Amino acid sequence: GDEVVADVQKRVKRKRESQLPLVRGYRPIPDGILTPNKNIQALRFVEKREESVMLRCKTCSVEVSSSVFFVHKGRASVLAPQGCLADKGKFKPVDEAQACKADRYNHLDVCEHDQIREDCRSCTLREKCEHGRPLNQPCKLCSKPSVPRKLDMSL
């Protein structure tokens, strides 16, 4: 009786969810409106607005909308998911004039020096080459492995 009904309801729900847009890092989106995770929403320069922006996957044309923006240094960029699960395409605003930013925590976390934290020389404790690149990333200016420089923490 009840078990059969519950099983049928689960199968119907799975079938319905399989027809919804699938976006990397999100559950199926029933209303077509993206909501980033709570960690991203809690960042001080991320805000939810009344307006929403339509986003389209560049390869399969799946559309979703976002009303969450990264507002920093006088510029508002709509947050877009990192990619479409169907074909690993990138989401871009339908209106190409609208600025867009991937909803990756590391790209939205602003430190007290008003810089993206992972790019801030004062906050990052990674060793860097003489051109400021982390040693674990290639530097086009360094032709040979460089000697790590000491970070000046007085900035």
Side-chain angles (χ1 to χ4, degrees), residues 106-141:
N106 291 348
H107 296 178
L108 305 169
D109 184 21
V110 177
C111 71
E112 60 271 10
H113 305 105
D114 207 29
Q115 300 292 320
I116 300 298
R117 188 175 310 278
E118 71 176 6
D119 297 334
C120 180
R121 290 185 181 194
S122 298
C123 292
T124 323
L125 297 177
R126 293 182 284 180
E127 293 183 358
K128 299 182 181 193
C129 73
E130 60 194 44
H131 306 107
R133 297 286 302 174
L135 288 180
N136 63 345
Q137 296 178 7
C139 176
K140 293 178 182 176
L141 301 173

Side-chain angles (χ1 to χ4, degrees), residues 23-35:
V23 176
R24 191 178 315 147
Y26 292 86
R27 292 187 176 156
I29 306 160
D31 56 3
I33 299 173
L34 295 172
T35 304

Side-chain angles (χ1 to χ4, degrees), residues 26 36-46 70 79-82 101-111 115-119:
Y26 292 86
N37 69 45
K38 294 190 185 318
N39 292 333
I40 289 175
Q41 291 182 53
L43 292 170
R44 65 183 169 140
F45 290 103
V46 173
F70 177 70
L79 293 188
Q82 297 175 40
K101 195 162 181 68
D103 65 349
R104 294 189 59 189
Y105 186 89
N106 291 348
H107 296 178
L108 305 169
D109 184 21
V110 177
C111 71
Q115 300 292 320
I116 300 298
R117 188 175 310 278
E118 71 176 6
D119 297 334

Side-chain angles (χ1 to χ4, degrees), residues 47-52 66-71 75-77:
E47 61 184 50
K48 187 165 177 69
R49 294 184 170 181
E50 292 295 320
E51 65 183 287
S52 65
S66 176
S67 59
V68 182
F69 291 77
F70 177 70
V71 183
R75 185 172 183 194
S77 300

Side-chain angles (χ1 to χ4, degrees), residues 64-92:
V64 294
S65 67
S66 176
S67 59
V68 182
F69 291 77
F70 177 70
V71 183
H72 185 239
K73 296 185 178 180
R75 185 172 183 194
S77 300
V78 66
L79 293 188
Q82 297 175 40
C84 181
L85 283 180
D87 56 9
K88 299 187 181 180
K90 298 236 184 265
F91 281 92
K92 296 290 181 187

